[in-house]
Amino acid sequence: ALPTEHCGVFICQLKKGCVYDYLGLFAFRLKLPDLPELQIEPKPSAPEQLPNLSQFQSRSYRPKRGGGFSEIHDMREYQPGDSMRDIHWKLSVKTDKLIVREAQEPNRGMVLLTLDLAGTKLQMDQTLDMLCWLSVWLLRHEVIHSVCWMDPGSFEPMGAVIGGEADLKDLIHTLMKTRLKENTPSIADRPFPHADWRYHIRPVREASPS
């Protein structure tokens, strides 16, 4: 049985394997298989204070990749390959040209989540739980974002761009395999001038023993 109450990765290895005859006189070494890693994943949990998406400011707009639904559109002349469903027939009749309605999406600046790889095991659980919830929440609002933390080994800032849930899964695996150190500095007060929107993940402080 392995302890599974906290997030983490167990790496198990088979060191040595032999097959013996019935009398135990002869032994043959076995080529042992590599064992898969056992990953105890976080449980997505919302932070107590939710960030507000209305704080995002759109500097400009661009054509939405793949089209689809959008509350904002731009009008332009028809080009080969455009879908017939996007043609604005009333405007096309007035201008005597085929005009299409092109879905637009906002050009946002950097959207950033920061976290500290420090604290107790329970606090790290809370940090990873909230990271999962916030990242998925942003992705569901079609917001590609970055995650930044301080590496406990080099004390250098590390980062990852999250464009989908596969990126988030890889990031969580990387964070859970990172060895923690007690003196790792916090990234909370580090400035990020290129970030238009930032949210620092703070776990709940544990009550000190009385």
Side-chain angles (χ1 to χ4, degrees), residues 174-195:
T174 297
L175 295 178
M176 290 197 304
K177 291 184 69 174
T178 302
R179 293 184 178 274
L180 305 184
K181 291 186 178 180
E182 293 184 0
N183 59 343
T184 303
S186 174
I187 204 171
D189 297 326
R190 188 182 182 93
F192 289 88
H194 299 295

Side-chain angles (χ1 to χ4, degrees), residues 71-139:
E71 296 180 354
I72 300 174
H73 295 82
D74 190 18
M75 301 297 178
R76 61 169 175 81
E77 289 191 28
Y78 174 86
Q79 297 176 356
D82 288 337
S83 174
M84 299 293 289
R85 294 177 299 178
D86 295 330
I87 295 178
H88 194 297
W89 292 107
K90 290 185 179 180
L91 190 57
S92 297
V93 171
K94 289 181 180 180
T95 59
D96 201 24
K97 296 179 181 178
L98 283 178
I99 304 297
V100 296
R101 182 189 289 109
E102 188 174 52
Q104 301 286 302
E105 63 181 1
N107 276 320
R108 295 191 178 100
M110 179 189 288
V111 175
L112 180 65
L113 296 174
T114 58
L115 58 94
D116 291 326
L117 291 182
T120 65
K121 291 182 179 180
L122 179 58
Q123 288 174 326
M124 280 306 307
D125 289 344
Q126 294 173 350
T127 296
L128 295 178
D129 291 348
M130 287 187 283
L131 171 61
C132 287
W133 191 95
L134 287 164
S135 189
V136 171
W137 180 75
L138 288 170
L139 291 174

Side-chain angles (χ1 to χ4, degrees), residues 58-77:
S58 301
R59 297 177 177 177
S60 59
Y61 290 87
R62 63 173 182 238
K64 186 176 182 181
R65 186 176 300 177
F69 173 79
S70 176
E71 296 180 354
I72 300 174
H73 295 82
D74 190 18
M75 301 297 178
R76 61 169 175 81
E77 289 191 28

